[in-house]
Amino acid sequence: KAFAGTDWYTATVWGPDSFVKCITIIIYLLLISFITHILLLFFPHKNQYFKYAPEVLTLGVIAGLCNAIIIFVITNTLNDGRGNLKYTLYYFGLALVIYISGRRSLEIRLAEIAQLVIKSLRETIFDRLFKTKYEEFEKIESGQLITTITDDINRIRDLAGIAVVMATSIITIIAAFIYLATISAFGTLTALAIIIIVASIYGYFNGIAVRHFEEARETQNKFMAKIEALIGGYKDLTLHRNKKLEYRKEVSEINEKFRINNLAAFKMFVNAFMLGESLFIIVLGLIVFGFSFFFMSINEQELTSFVMILLYILGPINQVMNSIPRLTQINVSIERVKELLKQLPEIGEGGNEVNLEIRDNIKNITISNLEFKYDKEDEKGFKVGPIDMSVNKGEILFIIGGNGSGKSTLIKMITGLYKSQGGSINLNNKEVSEESIGEYISTVFADSYLFDRFYNTHLEGKETIIKEYLTTFELQNKVEVNEGVLSTTSLSTGQKKRLHLMRCYLEDRPIFIFDELAADQDPYFRKCFYRILLPKMREEGKIVIAVTHDDHYFDVADKVMKLDMGQMDNISDQYMANSQIS
């Protein structure tokens, strides 16, 4: 009554049959949607987003039907004149309002779902990444990882918008063809045959285009890897002009391959689209110019309605066809995300609970028969170990050796980054797993990354000591620490390592491991590190393991062990004697 100024009884008796059918269809749609929603509440689908399906489908169907009804009302008004203009405007306005509001609600809901999917995908990838062993993480191409997290997942976000367009367009097309069938079955079948031909052509060209999109996606990985290499190796490239030119040429070639493959894929779709468009226009021409021969049973008014509706649905058909290339790209991105996830462990895998019951009273670390071999299937693979060594509380161990002797590999085994293929690591004569050992250790690797904040470090009430450390490490005028956040990370390599050393002090774990920490320091701080800081760590009861080449300071160590071709020798006595002679 609020809409038409009459009650339901009058509307059903005096209104057209289509009014009752329309109301009945809407009620059924809402009822089915509600029942499905209730069933999903009691029997949840394993896909968490499936619960939105009833709402999305209902909105899509209603929006698509109302879009078709708009053109039906317009064509009927042209044929019938303005006799029932008031009611025609009512139906037109009602269909328009429902279409606009339904389409708006559908797009907003799908956008919300898309953002949830993106958030969930990113968090899933990060969760799995943090479950990945370091030695497996090293095998993942950086370009693939960056492109998947950024480019591929962002492209998947567009699926929501495309889904809205395709859903409403397909419903509109179906409704329009049902209406056209009531005017001319032969004309409708002819138009449908053309659409089937066009779809077949699109399917053929889509298969070719997918290969080009796959190749373009591969070049995107390479491009991202080149960007990362540019950031890390800009200093080396800058030294020589020809290096820069060669690198620039290589990047340009990758870009060119990306352009060629993307363009080739889109050309396939353009060719298919134009062929289909041509066929459709030919059908329209046959209908208009040959209606007296082909459509003798259709009068002029029906023919006008047929052509108008056919012209109107050209828009939705074009929208569907234009969406296919983007859907193909999105499908490629989805496959790439799946490919990355296959390389990462499931969320439930690994992650044994870490037992830290003895962390505050570590008396010694003992390594027995520890070994690791690269390329286990290859007999010639480089092997480190078996290694046997022990360091007590308040002792300093120096590990020396030439490049490629296995020092970095040994450090990665001791810290649990590499899973050893034999032997054990013991704290207080009790074996500790690779997953747990890192919790007892603070490290400064040769290539440690300086984050912009100190993670997992309790800094409450340590403002004064932080300032003292900054002064000790000659960083008081370079950086500030506010609530664990660094004011800058734009520092020299030596300064960054000093900040890492400061982090170790703040973490205050029982074991310190340093990999060439003094290598990038000036002579003054190098001497300070060996003569002042290391002895102080000994006094504080720390277990210190340091990889070093500074033979002038070997007398600082309690033990000196040498790695050569992956094998360890204890040469402490030799170096102690040499130090005393010096």
Side-chain angles (χ1 to χ4, degrees):
K1 188 170 185 179
F3 275 115
T6 186
D7 55 30
W8 283 104
Y9 176 78
T10 305
T12 53
V13 171
W14 295 99
D17 292 339
S18 59
F19 175 77
V20 177
K21 292 176 181 178
C22 179
I23 296 299
T24 303
I25 289 171
I26 290 174
I27 291 173
Y28 276 130
L29 280 172
L30 295 174
L31 187 60
I32 292 170
S33 176
F34 177 75
I35 291 172
T36 308
H37 181 71
I38 294 298
L39 288 173
L40 285 172
L41 286 178
F42 287 101
F43 307 99
H45 194 271
K46 62 180 181 180
N47 187 335
Q48 59 176 321
Y49 306 107
F50 194 78
K51 62 183 179 181
Y52 298 110
E55 178 187 358
V56 169
L57 290 174
T58 303
L59 288 170
V61 170
I62 291 176
L65 287 174
C66 288
N67 191 21
I69 288 171
I70 290 171
I71 186 61
F72 301 159
V73 171
I74 291 173
T75 53
N76 284 331
T77 302
L78 289 175
N79 292 330
D80 296 340
R82 299 188 177 183
N84 297 315
L85 184 60
K86 180 173 67 173
Y87 299 106
T88 301
L89 287 174
Y90 163 70
Y91 281 118
F92 178 82
L94 183 61
L96 181 63
V97 169
I98 294 176
Y99 169 69
I100 296 297
S101 58
R103 177 73 179 265
R104 177 183 178 277
S105 298
L106 182 59
E107 292 206 19
I108 290 174
R109 172 57 72 193
L110 285 174
E112 291 173 350
I113 295 172
Q115 293 302 320
L116 285 173
V117 169
I118 291 171
K119 178 177 179 291
S120 176
L121 276 175
R122 285 178 173 169
E123 290 183 350
T124 298
I125 290 174
F126 271 92
D127 286 342
R128 291 197 181 188
L129 279 173
F130 287 130
K131 290 286 184 181
T132 305
K133 300 293 184 182
Y134 178 76
E135 56 189 291
E136 295 300 325
F137 179 82
E138 285 184 310
K139 298 174 184 177
I140 302 174
E141 294 181 8
S142 58
Q144 176 193 10
L145 185 60
I146 295 170
T147 306
T148 302
I149 293 176
T150 56
D151 193 42
D152 287 329
I153 292 181
N154 283 335
R155 186 172 284 130
I156 293 172
R157 173 194 59 193
D158 297 336
L159 182 61
I162 296 173
V164 171
V165 171
M166 291 195 72
T168 54
S169 297
I170 290 172
I171 297 296
T172 301
I173 293 167
I174 292 172
F177 270 105
I178 292 173
Y179 185 81
L180 289 176
T182 63
I183 299 176
S184 170
F186 178 73
T188 303
L189 289 174
T190 304
L192 279 173
I194 294 297
I195 289 178
I196 292 171
I197 293 171
V198 172
S200 301
I201 295 170
Y202 246 67
Y204 171 75
F205 283 107
N206 183 65
I208 300 173
V210 166
R211 293 196 294 271
H212 288 291
F213 280 136
E214 287 279 1
E215 291 176 12
R217 176 59 180 71
E218 285 296 331
T219 57
Q220 186 76 347
N221 282 352
K222 294 177 182 178
F223 182 73
M224 287 297 181
K226 288 297 177 185
I227 292 177
E228 185 183 28
L230 177 65
I231 295 170
Y234 190 76
K235 176 175 62 178
D236 301 284
L237 290 174
T238 306
L239 284 175
H240 305 286
R241 180 174 179 273
N242 286 340
K243 277 187 181 179
K244 287 191 290 186
L245 292 176
E246 287 179 15
Y247 193 87
R248 177 66 182 87
K249 182 181 178 182
E250 194 175 11
V251 172
S252 180
E253 289 172 355
I254 292 173
N255 263 334
E256 180 65 11
K257 288 180 183 177
F258 183 77
R259 183 191 70 84
I260 289 172
N261 282 302
N262 266 326
L263 184 59
F266 278 107
K267 279 182 178 179
M268 297 295 104
F269 288 117
V270 170
N271 292 337
F273 180 80
M274 296 312 299
L275 182 59
E277 186 101 334
S278 302
L279 289 173
F280 213 78
I281 292 172
I282 290 170
V283 171
L284 283 175
L286 288 173
I287 292 172
V288 174
F289 300 114
F291 74 95
S292 58
F293 180 77
F294 293 104
F295 307 101
M296 291 179 290
S297 61
I298 303 179
N299 59 46
E300 192 169 345
Q301 286 185 342
E302 289 176 335
L303 180 65
T304 301
S305 297
F306 192 93
V307 173
M308 281 190 65
I309 292 172
L310 209 56
L311 285 170
Y312 182 80
I313 63 174
L314 267 179
I317 290 173
N318 285 341
Q319 287 179 330
V320 172
M321 293 171 71
N322 286 330
S323 297
I324 292 176
R326 294 176 65 191
L327 280 176
T328 303
Q329 284 184 307
I330 290 171
N331 185 60
V332 170
S333 294
I334 290 172
E335 292 302 317
R336 293 300 179 176
V337 171
K338 289 180 180 178
E339 184 180 315
L340 175 63
L341 290 175
K342 285 179 182 177
Q343 299 179 53
L344 305 176
E346 294 289 342
I347 300 299
E349 295 180 8
N352 297 330
E353 186 176 347
V354 178
N355 183 5
L356 301 179
E357 58 180 325
I358 59 172
R359 173 175 162 177
D360 295 328
N361 189 28
I362 302 298
K363 296 178 181 178
N364 59 66
I365 177 171
T366 304
I367 293 170
S368 304
N369 297 316
L370 203 65
E371 59 182 1
F372 181 88
K373 184 177 181 180
Y374 292 93
D375 299 323
K376 288 181 283 186
E377 295 77 10
D378 185 359
E379 292 182 2
K380 297 181 179 179
F382 181 72
K383 180 180 178 182
V384 177
I387 303 293
D388 293 288
M389 66 182 208
S390 178
V391 189
N392 297 318
K393 182 177 181 179
E395 285 187 342
I396 298 173
L397 167 66
F398 281 179
I399 298 176
I400 66 172
N403 293 331
S405 60
K407 301 188 301 297
S408 295
T409 302
L410 175 59
I411 293 300
K412 289 174 182 176
M413 283 194 290
I414 295 173
T415 54
L417 293 178
Y418 280 4
K419 182 177 178 60
S420 59
Q421 292 147 16
S424 63
I425 302 174
N426 300 278
L427 297 179
N428 293 356
N429 302 315
K430 181 178 180 181
E431 186 172 350
V432 183
S433 66
E434 285 87 356
E435 292 83 3
S436 303
I437 186 63
E439 301 293 334
Y440 302 90
I441 300 171
S442 290
T443 62
V444 181
F445 295 104
D447 58 351
S448 283
Y449 182 83
L450 182 63
F451 292 96
D452 61 356
R453 67 179 301 139
F454 293 137
Y455 293 101
N456 191 32
T457 306
H458 301 291
L459 302 177
E460 293 80 2
K462 294 185 178 180
E463 292 79 7
T464 302
I465 196 170
I466 288 174
K467 290 181 180 179
E468 291 177 0
Y469 284 146
L470 289 174
T471 302
T472 301
F473 300 146
E474 299 179 341
L475 296 170
Q476 68 276 18
N477 297 322
K478 300 291 184 179
V479 64
E480 295 179 359
V481 182
N482 296 311
E483 297 182 355
V485 180
L486 305 179
S487 59
T488 181
T489 57
S490 299
L491 303 166
S492 69
T493 304
Q495 290 167 343
K496 288 180 180 179
K497 285 191 174 182
R498 284 182 238 164
L499 268 177
H500 280 299
L501 179 58
M502 173 176 161
R503 168 181 53 77
C504 291
Y505 273 95
L506 292 171
E507 289 175 347
D508 195 27
R509 289 185 168 87
I511 304 171
F512 284 176
I513 296 181
F514 307 126
D515 188 0
E516 298 287 1
L517 187 144
D520 299 291
Q521 305 300 329
D522 58 71
Y524 171 79
F525 189 79
R526 182 178 301 172
K527 183 177 180 180
C528 176
F529 173 70
Y530 285 110
R531 298 300 182 192
I532 298 175
L533 298 181
L534 285 180
K536 188 175 180 181
M537 294 177 196
R538 178 192 286 122
E539 292 173 6
E540 293 174 354
K542 301 294 182 184
I543 296 173
V544 180
I545 301 173
V547 174
T548 179
H549 286 103
D550 293 324
D551 53 356
H552 296 298
Y553 299 102
F554 284 173
D555 60 294
V556 175
D558 299 289
K559 299 176 181 179
V560 180
M561 305 192 79
K562 183 178 180 180
L563 263 178
D564 185 19
M565 295 298 294
Q567 301 302 307
M568 181 78 85
D569 289 326
N570 190 338
I571 55 174
S572 302
D573 295 338
Q574 174 188 342
Y575 273 101
M576 295 307 164
N578 291 340
S579 299
Q580 289 173 1
I581 292 172
S582 300

